[in-house]
Amino acid sequence: MCTPVVMMAGRRRSSGGKLPVCRMTSSSTPNGTKGTTYYEDDFFMFLSCGARNGLPKSRVRVDFSKEKYGRKVEPSTEPNIARSWEDHKRNNPRLFNGSKFRMQSVDMLEKDGEGNNLVTFRIGLTDYRDFMGTNMSRDAGYLMQKGRQSCGDPHAYLSQPVGVGSMIITSDDQVVMMRRSSWVSEGPGQLDRPGGHAEPKEVAKRCGSDEFTNDAVLDELFESVICEIRDEINIPESFLSEPRLLGVNGNHKSGGRPSVEFIVRCSLTAEEVQARYQAGGQPEADESTGLVMFQLQDMLKMDFLKPAVWRDLTPVARANVVMIRQGF
């Protein structure tokens, strides 16, 4: 039996059959709760916390289970996954497989002793091979339809690896964006916020085995985004605040892959960040070709002020901006 996804909003169509852009809607989620969902033609929100500065880790929970929250198998398309992976590797030899966390669902329904909402992630395991063979494959649409019909969850048969990303705001209120390299598999050449994946291998080191604790997975969700900023931008951790959760978006261009988004304050100015980036030496320097800075207030209105620049942002970067704006 498949468990329905929580806080999921699919594409909505106007009476003319076209996908609307930049709209807010009140929608019913599968468990009957109401939520406000912002969506564009290529991203949607699984969950937006609606807090200007995000939620601290103390208000986030993880329920981890490899057995309960893994990808469901759809037998007719399984042979395609191996073939797809081999094809991708031939086209891009830099690709490599690795274990990733899988998001089954996320919600904000519980409350703590003080009446504050608590966010709960239900997390399993997947890998990059399955991601390329499901979310990024030509079977993605069929798998989503099958999941919706069989499980009440369009993502039940998809890999759904958990991405992480962060809006970095400098001490002089500028937002740091990267121009992605042409070789990357998602969003080549576009502007993006620093991001990557939470890594099971890091939790295995922390736990000393593959028996993960909920708290260890939660720690990795928050710590991984700091590691991505360090490794992509070259900003040491000592200059970065504790990440705070903005929400979770889904990217239609990758089968609804979820990305957990944070806000991180940096004690450096934009000029100092640029200098550190230009100095080089960061492990993931080849994933970008340069930094672009925007004033925070301009960034929050970018879709209206500079629509061409707005569309140059990756879907997850635009979703990140929307999450911050909802808290203002």
Side-chain angles (χ1 to χ4, degrees):
M1 180 178 179
C2 299
T3 304
V5 70
V6 181
M7 293 305 293
M8 160 64 195
R11 297 192 188 207
R12 285 163 173 77
R13 295 185 180 272
S14 65
S15 57
K18 295 182 179 180
L19 287 166
V21 177
C22 302
R23 292 182 58 187
M24 299 286 290
T25 181
S26 180
S27 60
S28 295
T29 56
N31 64 350
T33 61
K34 293 285 185 178
T36 300
T37 302
Y38 182 108
Y39 60 92
E40 292 200 6
D41 57 340
D42 53 8
F43 77 80
F44 61 93
M45 302 297 186
F46 282 101
L47 174 72
S48 182
C49 296
R52 177 176 180 176
N53 294 310
L55 298 183
K57 186 166 71 171
S58 61
R59 289 176 58 183
V60 183
R61 303 287 185 269
V62 163
D63 177 14
F64 174 78
S65 172
K66 290 181 284 189
E67 294 75 20
K68 288 193 295 183
Y69 303 137
R71 177 178 69 87
K72 307 298 179 185
V73 172
E74 205 293 306
S76 70
T77 57
E78 285 300 299
N80 297 339
I81 293 176
R83 288 194 294 268
S84 171
W85 179 244
E86 292 304 316
D87 288 343
H88 282 296
K89 286 199 301 181
R90 277 193 294 271
N91 293 331
N92 187 352
R94 304 180 68 160
L95 290 180
F96 63 94
N97 196 15
S99 180
K100 302 296 178 186
F101 287 111
R102 178 182 189 272
M103 192 185 85
Q104 164 66 21
S105 61
V106 59
D107 64 44
M108 191 162 60
L109 300 176
E110 300 181 49
K111 291 186 180 295
D112 62 15
E114 298 179 356
N116 296 314
N117 289 321
L118 299 176
V119 172
T120 299
F121 288 91
R122 294 171 188 86
I123 301 289
L125 288 178
T126 185
D127 59 35
Y128 196 69
R129 170 185 173 272
D130 281 5
F131 169 59
M132 298 302 289
T134 59
N135 288 70
M136 299 297 286
S137 78
R138 59 187 178 186
D139 292 328
Y142 168 77
L143 290 171
M144 292 180 73
Q145 181 182 15
K146 186 77 171 177
R148 190 177 289 109
Q149 293 171 346
S150 302
C151 308
D153 174 5
H155 302 119
Y157 297 117
L158 300 182
S159 173
Q160 294 296 86
V162 179
V164 296
S166 178
M167 186 70 73
I168 306 172
I169 301 177
T170 64
S171 62
D172 50 350
D173 268 351
Q174 295 204 46
V175 177
V176 182
M177 289 283 167
M178 310 181 306
R179 178 68 69 183
R180 289 175 64 78
S181 297
S182 60
W183 69 266
V184 298
S185 59
E186 292 184 81
Q190 288 189 281
L191 289 174
D192 196 14
R193 80 287 180 266
H197 295 87
E199 299 291 353
K201 65 183 179 181
E202 296 300 323
V203 179
K205 293 177 186 177
R206 190 177 293 121
C207 293
S209 73
D210 60 357
E211 296 300 317
F212 297 170
T213 66
N214 293 335
D215 286 345
V217 176
L218 175 61
D219 288 344
E220 173 61 12
L221 277 178
F222 276 73
E223 291 173 14
S224 62
V225 77
I226 294 295
C227 293
E228 294 293 346
I229 295 171
R230 179 197 64 204
D231 293 346
E232 292 183 352
I233 308 293
N234 205 23
I235 305 176
E237 298 175 34
S238 58
F239 294 103
L240 301 172
S241 70
E242 289 288 325
R244 294 173 69 94
L245 178 68
L246 290 171
V248 187
N249 67 66
N251 186 347
H252 280 308
K253 291 186 174 181
S254 53
R257 180 183 66 85
S259 183
V260 183
E261 299 295 331
F262 299 89
I263 184 171
V264 172
R265 296 277 177 173
C266 176
S267 60
L268 300 173
T269 65
E271 183 177 356
E272 290 169 330
V273 169
Q274 189 72 258
R276 285 183 173 273
Y277 176 85
Q278 294 294 338
Q282 54 268 41
E284 298 177 10
D286 64 338
E287 293 188 6
S288 62
T289 60
L291 298 185
V292 180
M293 309 288 185
F294 298 96
Q295 286 290 337
L296 175 59
Q297 291 301 321
D298 291 342
M299 195 75 188
L300 295 177
K301 298 178 287 187
M302 190 67 73
D303 48 344
F304 303 107
L305 294 178
K306 296 181 179 179
V309 176
W310 178 252
R311 299 304 298 188
D312 192 31
L313 300 178
T314 63
V316 288
R318 280 183 272 123
N320 196 312
V321 174
V322 170
M323 289 176 185
I324 294 179
R325 188 163 63 195
Q326 288 180 348
F328 274 72

